[in-house]
Amino acid sequence: MAMKKEKKPLGKKKFLILGLLFALGLVLVFWGNGERDAEEEPVGSMSVEQYRAMLGEEIAALCRGVRGVGQVTVLVNFAGGYEYVYARDADGDCVGFGSGSKKEAVVENILPPKIAGVGIVCDGGGNASVRQTLTELLSAALGIGANKIYITS
């Protein structure tokens, strides 16, 4: 006749170790989410006007790097606001979390506003060669057609 082995209850040490590992896991999850949110912060936390100003400054700096361009003023016009892309399941339905009236769709991505046009006033903007260079540069950098860029002096 074989003897049954008795199961030993988990000791206090094992519970303590499991508890510490669980707590460490929670810390890592929240810490990791904080870092990811910090990387996404510009799109998620900027108003459209703040984004417009930041983009205008970047465009001005890019233009000033072109030979023949002096002082630069930039106006960026958007076709709308931020676009939210929601997670979808295999059937194409939105994925959500929560329940009842507190159910929210899962945001997969936030896309910046689409550029409708860019106006540039700059020293050197009256020169055809400078205008062509700037138009090609901005078209490539911003992913918009040359017909959406106007440059003058």
Side-chain angles (χ1 to χ4, degrees):
M1 172 154 99
M3 289 183 78
K4 281 190 175 181
K5 226 180 187 183
E6 275 190 43
K7 292 184 181 179
K8 282 187 175 179
L10 290 176
K12 287 182 182 179
K13 246 184 187 179
K14 288 183 182 179
F15 273 119
L16 181 62
I17 290 172
L18 286 174
L20 288 173
L21 288 174
F22 180 74
L24 178 63
L26 286 176
V27 167
L28 290 175
V29 165
F30 288 113
W31 187 31
N33 282 343
E35 286 180 11
R36 186 177 68 232
D37 291 345
E39 292 170 7
E40 296 172 358
E41 187 175 273
V43 171
S45 69
M46 264 191 223
S47 71
V48 172
E49 289 308 314
Q50 290 170 322
Y51 180 69
R52 181 188 323 271
M54 182 205 64
L55 188 58
E57 290 169 16
E58 289 180 356
I59 292 170
L62 189 62
C63 291
R64 282 191 295 271
V66 173
R67 188 178 342 171
V69 175
Q71 196 134 348
V72 180
T73 302
V74 176
L75 175 69
V76 180
N77 190 22
F78 297 125
Y82 290 107
E83 181 180 338
Y84 293 84
V85 179
Y86 298 99
R88 299 195 173 274
D89 62 17
D91 297 327
D93 297 326
C94 278
V95 175
F97 64 92
S99 62
S101 65
K102 294 186 178 187
K103 189 167 185 173
E104 294 183 35
V106 175
V107 176
E108 194 172 82
N109 200 1
I110 302 173
L111 303 175
K114 290 189 180 3
I115 298 172
V118 178
I120 309 252
V121 178
C122 64
D123 296 338
N127 180 309
S129 175
V130 168
R131 273 197 317 272
Q132 181 177 356
T133 300
L134 285 175
T135 300
E136 290 172 3
L137 173 66
L138 294 175
S139 179
L142 301 172
I144 60 175
N147 63 326
K148 294 185 177 193
I149 302 167
Y150 185 80
I151 300 165
T152 192
S153 57

